[in-house]
């Protein structure tokens, strides 16, 4: 049992280092966007009155001569709509701002409403609680230099201070980016984020948008990724991870809201095919392994204690190297103490999320 545990630990460390080997944030400036004639940015929002000013001003500073911006109101219950109309009205803009009310309920319905009104051949999407970098659009458009590319995914990290909770979220995001980048570059796309996504409108129409998964609350990004991959092949999807592509999203203020978001994300597992659903449970199985590793001391105290020390040293060092590489590429340094605490807490965090997924209860933006 001890030898088997050590073997699993070594495989885990090697896997993380392999994922990190495919992470490169070097900017490819060789691409041209001269073949892109029109761009539409979709921003669905619901109850975002406190976030709209920041996302609006970050859009206004984007380096583009012209762009359509479609704001889709997902039936907000606060003063989001009034705030947005006021922001647009008091500032002259080189962009065409269009405000729409979603024709249905939920983010997917809002996005489909936006696509219907979009005039751009390339559609970008983000969330209303995000901040966009100045050269974000141009950098994402470089991904379409090959006419066969249908979808470009980009990185997202949480904003926030230097508390442990904020660092935990950054480290958690780094693990998501690591897997997203690796899976896309290895032509086996698994995940992406709708907060930083671009695709051809023609591709969205060709796959009939979210037909077949509209009833699933989340997954506007992953289902789209899967459908485009299925129709056009894995080579039609690329990942842009230069600093100019990094979208920052609000950090959660408490553990309850963080769990609600993660449960919402994970709850779509049943709508995927069996292989993807099985892969979705791999993180949970790994975390069970790390929690179970403490039982090694009951098999043979001395040998088990040594093995436990080796296992967790492997875990910490591999995570420090791999996740640190992702964060450093965006000029973020996470203290070793924060990584150590995250590594210890993360197994409980993942298992608790899985338990809540099967419980089926979460609340998000005023909806259950």
């Amino acid at each position: 049992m001890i030898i088997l545990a050590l073997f699993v630990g070594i495989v885990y460390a090697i896997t993380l280092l392999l994922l990190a080997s495919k992470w490169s944030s070097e900017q490819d400036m060789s691409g041209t966007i001269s073949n892109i004639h029109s761009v539409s940015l979709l921003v669905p929002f619901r109850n975002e009155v406190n976030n709209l000013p920041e996302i609006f001003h970050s859009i206004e500073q984007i380096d583009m001569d012209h762009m359509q911006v479609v704001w889709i109101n997902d039936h907000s219950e606060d003063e989001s709509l009034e705030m947005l109309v006021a922001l647009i009205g008091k500032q002259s803009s080189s962009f065409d701002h269009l405000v729409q009310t979603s024709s249905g309920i939920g983010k997917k319905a809002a996005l489909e409403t936006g696509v219907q009104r979009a005039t751009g051949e390339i559609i970008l999407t983000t969330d209303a609680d995000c901040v966009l970098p100045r050269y974000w659009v141009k950098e994402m458009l470089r991904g379409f230099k090959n006419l066969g590319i249908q979808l470009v995914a980009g990185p997202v990290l949480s904003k926030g201070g230097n508390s442990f909770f904020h660092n935990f979220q950054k480290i958690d995001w780094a693990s998501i980016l690591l897997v997203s980048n690796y899976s896309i570059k290895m032509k086996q796309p698994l995940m992406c984020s709708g907060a930083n996504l671009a695709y051809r409108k023609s591709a969205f129409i060709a796959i009939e948008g979210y037909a077949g998964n509209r009833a699933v609350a989340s997954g506007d990004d992953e289902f789209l990724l899967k459908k485009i991959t299925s129709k056009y092949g894995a080579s039609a999807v690329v990942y842009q991870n230069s600093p100019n592509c990094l979208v920052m999203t609000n950090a959660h203020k408490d553990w309850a809201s963080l769990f609600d978001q993660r449960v919402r994300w994970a709850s779509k597992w049943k709508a995927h095919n069996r292989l993807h659903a099985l892969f979705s449970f791999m993180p949970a199985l790994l975390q069970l392994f790390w929690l179970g590793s403490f039982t090694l001391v009951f098999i043979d105290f001395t040998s088990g204690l040594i093995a436990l020390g080796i296992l967790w040293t492997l875990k910490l060092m591999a995570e420090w190297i791999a996740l640190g590489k992702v964060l450093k590429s965006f000029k973020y340094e996470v203290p070793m103490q924060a990584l150590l605490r995250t590594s210890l807490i993360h197994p409980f965090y993942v298992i608790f999320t899985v338990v809540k997924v099967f419980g089926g209860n979460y609340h998000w933006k005023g909806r259950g």
Side-chain angles (χ1 to χ4, degrees):
M1 181 63 74
I2 291 177
I3 293 175
L4 178 61
L6 288 172
F7 174 76
V8 173
I10 292 170
V11 171
Y12 175 80
I14 291 174
T15 300
L16 271 184
L17 297 177
L18 181 62
L19 295 180
S21 71
K22 293 296 181 181
W23 183 271
S24 174
S25 59
E26 294 180 3
Q27 299 181 52
D28 179 8
M29 304 302 291
S30 62
T32 176
I33 60 173
S34 61
N35 61 330
I36 305 298
H37 302 293
S38 55
V39 177
S40 294
L41 169 60
L42 308 187
V43 189
F45 65 93
R46 174 176 168 79
N47 300 342
E48 299 284 3
V49 66
N50 294 323
N51 294 318
L52 283 172
E54 189 170 27
I55 178 68
F56 180 82
H57 292 306
S58 80
I59 288 173
E60 284 297 302
Q61 58 82 46
I62 287 177
D63 185 37
M64 281 291 287
D65 294 332
H66 181 266
M67 179 172 65
Q68 181 195 38
V69 184
V70 185
W71 303 84
I72 312 100
N73 179 22
D74 182 16
H75 310 283
S76 295
E77 298 169 330
D78 61 6
E79 297 179 352
S80 294
L81 183 59
E82 293 80 1
M83 168 68 76
L84 179 59
V85 171
L87 287 167
I88 296 172
K90 70 180 181 181
Q91 180 172 335
S92 60
S93 174
S94 59
F95 302 147
D96 294 332
H97 290 275
L98 177 65
V99 182
Q100 292 287 298
T101 297
S102 176
S103 60
I105 301 296
K107 188 177 179 183
K108 289 176 183 173
L111 287 168
E112 289 193 311
T113 299
V115 171
Q116 290 171 6
R117 297 306 304 270
T119 58
E121 60 183 292
I122 298 296
I123 290 176
L124 293 104
T125 70
T126 192
D127 294 336
D129 61 350
C130 292
V131 173
L132 311 174
R134 178 173 175 79
Y135 300 104
W136 174 61
V137 173
K138 287 184 176 179
E139 197 67 27
M140 291 293 281
L141 291 181
R142 292 186 193 281
F144 293 98
K145 60 186 178 182
N146 181 336
L147 294 177
I149 300 300
Q150 303 297 326
L151 182 146
V152 177
V156 180
L157 275 180
S158 57
K159 297 182 287 183
N162 295 315
S163 69
F164 166 67
F165 185 51
H166 286 108
N167 282 324
F168 178 93
Q169 292 179 70
K170 285 188 178 73
I171 294 169
D172 192 41
W173 268 111
S175 67
I176 294 171
L177 303 189
L178 195 67
V179 174
S180 300
N181 173 74
Y182 182 83
S183 65
I184 289 175
K185 287 185 176 176
M186 297 305 292
K187 309 303 180 186
Q188 295 292 331
L190 287 173
M191 62 178 76
C192 60
S193 173
N196 192 355
L197 199 62
Y199 46 84
R200 297 187 189 275
K201 182 178 179 179
S202 58
F204 189 92
I205 294 172
I207 63 170
E208 299 181 344
Y210 300 111
N213 55 73
R214 291 189 180 100
V216 183
S218 64
D220 56 280
D221 37 29
E222 285 187 29
F223 289 121
L224 191 67
L225 173 70
K226 292 291 186 180
K227 291 182 74 173
I228 286 179
T229 300
S230 177
K231 182 171 181 63
Y232 296 98
S235 296
V237 177
V238 296
Y239 195 85
Q240 294 281 83
N241 61 348
S242 79
N244 283 334
C245 285
L246 179 64
V247 169
M248 302 300 294
T249 187
N250 282 347
H252 291 277
K253 297 179 180 179
D254 52 57
W255 288 99
S257 62
L258 176 61
F259 277 118
D260 274 344
Q261 185 190 59
R262 298 309 194 251
V263 169
R264 178 175 176 270
W265 288 355
S267 63
K268 60 183 175 288
W269 69 272
K270 290 182 288 187
H272 284 294
N273 59 43
R274 290 182 180 179
L275 182 61
H276 187 101
L278 180 62
F279 185 87
S280 298
F281 278 100
M282 287 300 294
L285 294 175
L286 273 173
Q287 302 313 321
L288 282 174
F289 164 76
W290 289 114
L291 292 177
S293 66
F294 289 99
T295 63
L296 292 175
V297 296
F298 298 107
I299 297 174
D300 183 294
F301 183 78
T302 302
S303 299
L305 191 61
I306 293 172
L308 186 64
I310 294 172
L311 276 174
W312 280 82
T313 298
L314 282 171
K315 182 180 191 293
L316 287 169
M317 293 308 298
E319 290 172 355
W320 172 254
I321 294 171
L323 302 180
K325 184 176 182 179
V326 174
L327 293 170
K328 286 177 183 178
S329 70
F330 299 122
K331 305 293 189 289
Y332 285 99
E333 293 279 350
V334 174
M336 174 60 91
Q337 182 185 29
L339 181 68
L340 175 62
R341 292 176 65 187
T342 298
S343 190
L344 291 171
I345 292 173
H346 205 259
F348 297 95
Y349 162 80
V350 172
I351 297 303
F352 186 66
T353 299
V354 172
V355 170
K356 289 199 70 174
V357 167
F358 284 103
N361 296 318
Y362 66 87
H363 292 85
W364 190 248
K365 298 190 183 297
R367 291 173 179 153

